[in-house]
Amino acid sequence: DAKTTQPPSMDCAEGRAANLPCNHSTISGNEYVYWYRQIHSQGPQYIIHGLKNNETNEMASLIITENRKSSTLILPHATLRDTAVYYCIVRPTDTGRRALTFGSGTRLQVQP
Amino acid sequence: GAGVSQSPRYKVAKRGQDVALRCDPISGHVSLFWYQQALGQGPEFLTYFQNEAQLDKSGLPSDRFFAERPEGSVSTLKIQRTQQEDSAVYLCASSSSSGVGYGYTFGSGTRLTVV
């Protein structure tokens, strides 16, 4: 699976947009970009995923660059409850390797 | 059920003791995963089941770790002769499909402390 690089930590003011970057320069054509987050003392929670088009759901937006070497997760109006570790993961469509490979993620602290 | 349920929520074991951790996946979910998460680290894959078949156990750190899912639903992760380095949160996740497009649902984990 392609390796991802994320900043270890970020701060964001409550009510402002949080933009979390992820580099995946070795991503291959059949790999999707997934985002999960983990709030303290809970298991990881699925946020969004995409292949090459930008995606939006009720939680967030995912912007993938045209060359697919990087992406940005956008939380449009961050709240204190969005404080968590955010993981960017790339995963092949179906190669028999079905597990998610987590890195260290970005610890997002939303400030009041 | 509504989500993935794990029990116990917390477990303290004396070094050398055997422990069993239980995972109740979402009803009907075919795929089930176990992960180990050390303090301050991301979750690390341990093993994967598709129904009752254990298709990948490459992440199990030693032969003291054993997982089973005999009827394709509930799974148990067993650790024999626990050691201090086994202290971690053990997470279980299930998915309705192993294909892309399906998110994995995680339980809240079992925090194991070996003393």
Side-chain angles (χ1 to χ4, degrees):
Chain A
D1 297 352
K3 182 179 172 59
T4 63
T5 304
Q6 300 177 252
S9 64
M10 293 183 62
D11 286 346
C12 176
E14 189 177 18
R16 303 296 294 270
N19 298 289
L20 292 94
C22 179
N23 286 325
H24 31 79
S25 58
T26 60
I27 193 170
S28 56
N30 69 342
E31 288 186 314
Y32 281 67
V33 180
Y34 279 78
W35 283 84
Y36 279 76
R37 73 179 183 183
Q38 188 171 24
I39 295 169
H40 183 62
S41 296
Q42 297 182 23
Q45 174 191 24
Y46 167 80
I47 301 173
I48 198 167
H49 74 280
L51 183 63
K52 51 185 175 181
N53 297 322
N54 297 337
E55 303 288 343
T56 295
N57 63 21
E58 65 279 2
M59 290 183 69
S61 295
L62 174 60
I63 308 298
I64 303 175
T65 58
E66 192 169 343
N67 63 10
R68 304 209 321 124
K69 293 184 183 300
S70 66
S71 60
T72 301
L73 178 75
I74 301 172
L75 308 177
H77 306 287
T79 71
L80 297 178
R81 288 176 294 182
D82 293 321
T83 292
V85 178
Y86 286 77
Y87 296 99
C88 169
I89 298 166
V90 296
R91 182 181 182 274
T93 50
D94 186 2
T95 64
R97 298 173 64 187
R98 294 173 168 86
L100 297 171
T101 302
F102 291 84
S104 298
T106 296
R107 184 171 300 275
L108 176 68
Q109 181 70 50
V110 180
Q111 306 283 0
Chain B
V4 176
S5 177
Q6 292 188 246
S7 60
R9 188 78 172 89
Y10 301 93
K11 175 70 178 177
V12 178
K14 292 185 178 180
R15 192 172 56 172
Q17 187 179 352
D18 297 350
V19 298
L21 312 179
R22 177 186 170 103
C23 172
D24 275 280
I26 292 175
S27 178
H29 275 194
V30 168
S31 300
L32 186 146
F33 303 81
W34 283 99
Y35 288 81
Q36 181 189 57
Q37 186 171 24
L39 189 64
Q41 308 286 326
E44 293 196 358
F45 169 75
L46 293 177
T47 187
Y48 161 66
F49 289 85
Q50 184 167 316
N51 296 306
E52 68 278 3
Q54 189 174 19
L55 298 186
D56 187 347
K57 52 183 179 179
S58 62
L60 296 176
S62 77
D63 58 8
R64 296 185 295 104
F65 287 71
F66 171 76
E68 60 184 5
R69 194 187 185 197
E71 297 178 359
S73 55
V74 171
S75 177
T76 304
L77 176 67
K78 297 179 179 178
I79 309 173
Q80 296 176 325
R81 305 180 303 282
T82 53
Q83 300 177 8
Q84 282 192 316
E85 60 262 31
D86 299 335
S87 294
V89 175
Y90 290 86
L91 294 162
C92 176
S94 70
S95 171
S96 60
S97 169
S98 59
V100 178
Y102 293 91
Y104 298 84
T105 302
F106 283 79
S108 295
T110 294
R111 180 177 295 278
L112 173 66
T113 303
V114 181
V115 297

